[in-house]
Short mmCIF file of all heavy atoms in Angstrom, two decimals:
data_model
loop_
_atom_site.label_atom_id
_atom_site.label_comp_id
_atom_site.label_asym_id
_atom_site.label_seq_id
_atom_site.Cartn_x
_atom_site.Cartn_y
_atom_site.Cartn_z
N PRO X 1 -51.12 -87.85 89.90
CA PRO X 1 -51.43 -88.55 91.15
C PRO X 1 -52.00 -87.64 92.23
O PRO X 1 -52.72 -88.09 93.10
CB PRO X 1 -50.07 -89.12 91.59
CG PRO X 1 -49.24 -89.15 90.36
CD PRO X 1 -49.72 -88.01 89.54
N LEU X 2 -51.72 -86.36 92.17
CA LEU X 2 -52.19 -85.45 93.21
C LEU X 2 -53.69 -85.19 93.12
O LEU X 2 -54.34 -84.94 94.11
CB LEU X 2 -51.43 -84.13 93.12
CG LEU X 2 -49.91 -84.23 93.31
CD1 LEU X 2 -49.27 -82.87 93.09
CD2 LEU X 2 -49.58 -84.77 94.68
N GLU X 3 -54.25 -85.26 91.93
CA GLU X 3 -55.66 -84.93 91.75
C GLU X 3 -56.55 -86.16 91.69
O GLU X 3 -57.75 -86.03 91.52
CB GLU X 3 -55.82 -84.10 90.47
CG GLU X 3 -55.14 -82.76 90.56
CD GLU X 3 -55.29 -81.95 89.29
OE1 GLU X 3 -56.01 -82.39 88.39
OE2 GLU X 3 -54.70 -80.87 89.22
N GLY X 4 -56.01 -87.33 91.79
CA GLY X 4 -56.80 -88.54 91.78
C GLY X 4 -57.37 -88.91 90.42
O GLY X 4 -58.37 -89.61 90.33
N GLU X 5 -56.75 -88.46 89.37
CA GLU X 5 -57.22 -88.77 88.03
C GLU X 5 -56.79 -90.18 87.63
O GLU X 5 -55.96 -90.80 88.28
CB GLU X 5 -56.66 -87.77 87.03
CG GLU X 5 -57.17 -86.37 87.23
CD GLU X 5 -56.50 -85.39 86.29
OE1 GLU X 5 -55.32 -85.57 85.99
OE2 GLU X 5 -57.18 -84.46 85.88
N ASP X 6 -57.37 -90.64 86.55
CA ASP X 6 -56.98 -91.93 85.99
C ASP X 6 -55.57 -91.79 85.43
O ASP X 6 -55.34 -91.04 84.48
CB ASP X 6 -57.96 -92.32 84.89
CG ASP X 6 -57.64 -93.67 84.28
OD1 ASP X 6 -56.88 -94.44 84.90
OD2 ASP X 6 -58.13 -93.93 83.17
N THR X 7 -54.61 -92.48 86.02
CA THR X 7 -53.22 -92.30 85.63
C THR X 7 -52.94 -92.80 84.22
O THR X 7 -52.11 -92.24 83.52
CB THR X 7 -52.28 -93.00 86.62
OG1 THR X 7 -52.64 -94.38 86.71
CG2 THR X 7 -52.36 -92.36 87.98
N ASP X 8 -53.64 -93.84 83.78
CA ASP X 8 -53.42 -94.34 82.42
C ASP X 8 -53.83 -93.31 81.37
O ASP X 8 -53.13 -93.10 80.39
CB ASP X 8 -54.18 -95.65 82.19
CG ASP X 8 -53.62 -96.80 83.00
OD1 ASP X 8 -52.44 -96.73 83.40
OD2 ASP X 8 -54.37 -97.76 83.23
N ALA X 9 -54.97 -92.67 81.59
CA ALA X 9 -55.44 -91.67 80.64
C ALA X 9 -54.51 -90.46 80.62
O ALA X 9 -54.21 -89.91 79.56
CB ALA X 9 -56.85 -91.23 80.98
N VAL X 10 -54.02 -90.05 81.78
CA VAL X 10 -53.13 -88.90 81.84
C VAL X 10 -51.79 -89.22 81.20
O VAL X 10 -51.21 -88.40 80.50
CB VAL X 10 -52.96 -88.44 83.31
CG1 VAL X 10 -51.91 -87.35 83.41
CG2 VAL X 10 -54.27 -87.94 83.84
N GLN X 11 -51.30 -90.45 81.42
CA GLN X 11 -50.04 -90.85 80.79
C GLN X 11 -50.18 -90.90 79.27
O GLN X 11 -49.28 -90.47 78.55
CB GLN X 11 -49.59 -92.20 81.32
CG GLN X 11 -49.03 -92.14 82.72
CD GLN X 11 -48.64 -93.51 83.25
OE1 GLN X 11 -48.90 -94.52 82.61
NE2 GLN X 11 -48.03 -93.53 84.41
N ALA X 12 -51.31 -91.38 78.79
CA ALA X 12 -51.53 -91.43 77.35
C ALA X 12 -51.58 -90.01 76.78
O ALA X 12 -51.00 -89.74 75.72
CB ALA X 12 -52.81 -92.18 77.03
N GLN X 13 -52.25 -89.12 77.47
CA GLN X 13 -52.32 -87.73 77.01
C GLN X 13 -50.93 -87.09 77.03
O GLN X 13 -50.57 -86.36 76.10
CB GLN X 13 -53.26 -86.94 77.90
CG GLN X 13 -53.36 -85.48 77.50
CD GLN X 13 -54.21 -84.67 78.47
OE1 GLN X 13 -54.64 -85.18 79.49
NE2 GLN X 13 -54.42 -83.43 78.16
N ALA X 14 -50.16 -87.36 78.06
CA ALA X 14 -48.82 -86.78 78.15
C ALA X 14 -47.91 -87.31 77.05
O ALA X 14 -47.11 -86.57 76.49
CB ALA X 14 -48.22 -87.05 79.53
N ILE X 15 -48.05 -88.59 76.73
CA ILE X 15 -47.25 -89.16 75.65
C ILE X 15 -47.61 -88.53 74.32
O ILE X 15 -46.74 -88.19 73.51
CB ILE X 15 -47.42 -90.70 75.62
CG1 ILE X 15 -46.72 -91.32 76.83
CG2 ILE X 15 -46.87 -91.29 74.32
CD1 ILE X 15 -47.03 -92.77 77.03
N LEU X 16 -48.91 -88.33 74.09
CA LEU X 16 -49.34 -87.67 72.85
C LEU X 16 -48.83 -86.22 72.79
O LEU X 16 -48.42 -85.75 71.73
CB LEU X 16 -50.85 -87.70 72.72
CG LEU X 16 -51.46 -89.07 72.39
CD1 LEU X 16 -52.97 -88.99 72.42
CD2 LEU X 16 -50.97 -89.54 71.03
N LEU X 17 -48.86 -85.52 73.91
CA LEU X 17 -48.34 -84.16 73.94
C LEU X 17 -46.84 -84.14 73.64
O LEU X 17 -46.36 -83.29 72.90
CB LEU X 17 -48.60 -83.51 75.30
CG LEU X 17 -49.99 -82.95 75.54
CD1 LEU X 17 -50.13 -82.52 76.99
CD2 LEU X 17 -50.24 -81.78 74.62
N ALA X 18 -46.10 -85.07 74.23
CA ALA X 18 -44.66 -85.13 73.98
C ALA X 18 -44.37 -85.44 72.52
O ALA X 18 -43.45 -84.85 71.92
CB ALA X 18 -44.02 -86.17 74.89
N MET X 19 -45.14 -86.34 71.93
CA MET X 19 -44.94 -86.67 70.51
C MET X 19 -45.28 -85.47 69.63
O MET X 19 -44.57 -85.19 68.65
CB MET X 19 -45.78 -87.88 70.13
CG MET X 19 -45.27 -89.17 70.74
SD MET X 19 -46.36 -90.59 70.54
CE MET X 19 -46.74 -90.59 68.83
N ALA X 20 -46.33 -84.73 69.97
CA ALA X 20 -46.71 -83.55 69.19
C ALA X 20 -45.63 -82.47 69.31
O ALA X 20 -45.31 -81.80 68.32
CB ALA X 20 -48.05 -83.02 69.65
N GLY X 21 -45.09 -82.31 70.50
CA GLY X 21 -44.02 -81.33 70.68
C GLY X 21 -42.78 -81.69 69.90
O GLY X 21 -42.14 -80.82 69.29
N ALA X 22 -42.43 -82.96 69.91
CA ALA X 22 -41.27 -83.40 69.14
C ALA X 22 -41.50 -83.20 67.65
O ALA X 22 -40.60 -82.79 66.91
CB ALA X 22 -40.97 -84.86 69.45
N LEU X 23 -42.72 -83.47 67.20
CA LEU X 23 -43.04 -83.28 65.78
C LEU X 23 -42.94 -81.80 65.38
O LEU X 23 -42.40 -81.48 64.32
CB LEU X 23 -44.44 -83.82 65.49
CG LEU X 23 -44.89 -83.73 64.03
CD1 LEU X 23 -44.01 -84.61 63.15
CD2 LEU X 23 -46.33 -84.15 63.91
N CYS X 24 -43.41 -80.91 66.24
CA CYS X 24 -43.29 -79.47 65.95
C CYS X 24 -41.82 -79.07 65.82
O CYS X 24 -41.45 -78.34 64.90
CB CYS X 24 -43.94 -78.65 67.06
SG CYS X 24 -45.72 -78.68 67.06
N ALA X 25 -41.00 -79.54 66.74
CA ALA X 25 -39.59 -79.18 66.70
C ALA X 25 -38.90 -79.76 65.47
O ALA X 25 -38.10 -79.09 64.82
CB ALA X 25 -38.90 -79.66 67.98
N VAL X 26 -39.21 -80.99 65.12
CA VAL X 26 -38.59 -81.63 63.95
C VAL X 26 -39.01 -80.94 62.67
O VAL X 26 -38.19 -80.71 61.78
CB VAL X 26 -38.92 -83.14 63.93
CG1 VAL X 26 -38.56 -83.76 62.59
CG2 VAL X 26 -38.19 -83.85 65.04
N VAL X 27 -40.28 -80.58 62.55
CA VAL X 27 -40.74 -79.87 61.35
C VAL X 27 -40.04 -78.52 61.24
O VAL X 27 -39.63 -78.12 60.15
CB VAL X 27 -42.28 -79.72 61.38
CG1 VAL X 27 -42.74 -78.73 60.34
CG2 VAL X 27 -42.93 -81.07 61.15
N ALA X 28 -39.89 -77.83 62.36
CA ALA X 28 -39.20 -76.54 62.33
C ALA X 28 -37.75 -76.72 61.89
O ALA X 28 -37.23 -75.91 61.11
CB ALA X 28 -39.28 -75.88 63.69
N LEU X 29 -37.10 -77.75 62.37
CA LEU X 29 -35.71 -77.97 61.97
C LEU X 29 -35.61 -78.39 60.51
O LEU X 29 -34.66 -78.03 59.82
CB LEU X 29 -35.07 -79.00 62.89
CG LEU X 29 -34.89 -78.54 64.34
CD1 LEU X 29 -34.37 -79.67 65.21
CD2 LEU X 29 -33.98 -77.33 64.42
N CYS X 30 -36.59 -79.13 60.02
CA CYS X 30 -36.61 -79.50 58.60
C CYS X 30 -36.82 -78.26 57.74
O CYS X 30 -36.25 -78.15 56.65
CB CYS X 30 -37.69 -80.53 58.32
SG CYS X 30 -37.27 -82.17 58.91
N VAL X 31 -37.62 -77.34 58.20
CA VAL X 31 -37.80 -76.08 57.48
C VAL X 31 -36.46 -75.36 57.38
O VAL X 31 -36.10 -74.82 56.34
CB VAL X 31 -38.86 -75.19 58.17
CG1 VAL X 31 -38.82 -73.77 57.65
CG2 VAL X 31 -40.24 -75.79 57.96
N ALA X 32 -35.71 -75.39 58.47
CA ALA X 32 -34.40 -74.73 58.46
C ALA X 32 -33.45 -75.40 57.47
O ALA X 32 -32.63 -74.73 56.84
CB ALA X 32 -33.80 -74.76 59.86
N LEU X 33 -33.55 -76.70 57.32
CA LEU X 33 -32.64 -77.41 56.44
C LEU X 33 -33.02 -77.29 54.97
O LEU X 33 -32.14 -77.16 54.11
CB LEU X 33 -32.59 -78.90 56.81
CG LEU X 33 -31.86 -79.24 58.09
CD1 LEU X 33 -32.02 -80.73 58.39
CD2 LEU X 33 -30.40 -78.88 57.98
N PHE X 34 -34.31 -77.34 54.66
CA PHE X 34 -34.73 -77.49 53.28
C PHE X 34 -35.28 -76.23 52.63
O PHE X 34 -35.48 -76.21 51.43
CB PHE X 34 -35.75 -78.61 53.17
CG PHE X 34 -35.19 -79.95 53.57
CD1 PHE X 34 -35.72 -80.64 54.63
CD2 PHE X 34 -34.12 -80.50 52.89
CE1 PHE X 34 -35.20 -81.88 55.02
CE2 PHE X 34 -33.60 -81.73 53.26
CZ PHE X 34 -34.13 -82.40 54.33
#
């Protein structure tokens, strides 16, 4: 909101980043288990 960007596009990008981060962490934990 501070930079006047399209909030929908930024929210979509942030959601994708959060999902990618969660996937990295889950894969790392699966490596530890298996």
Side-chain angles (χ1 to χ4, degrees):
L2 299 176
E3 295 180 5
E5 294 175 326
D6 181 18
T7 56
D8 291 338
V10 173
Q11 286 177 353
Q13 179 185 6
I15 289 170
L16 288 175
L17 279 172
M19 289 171 50
L23 182 64
C24 287
V26 167
V27 167
L29 293 175
C30 286
V31 166
L33 288 175
F34 297 119

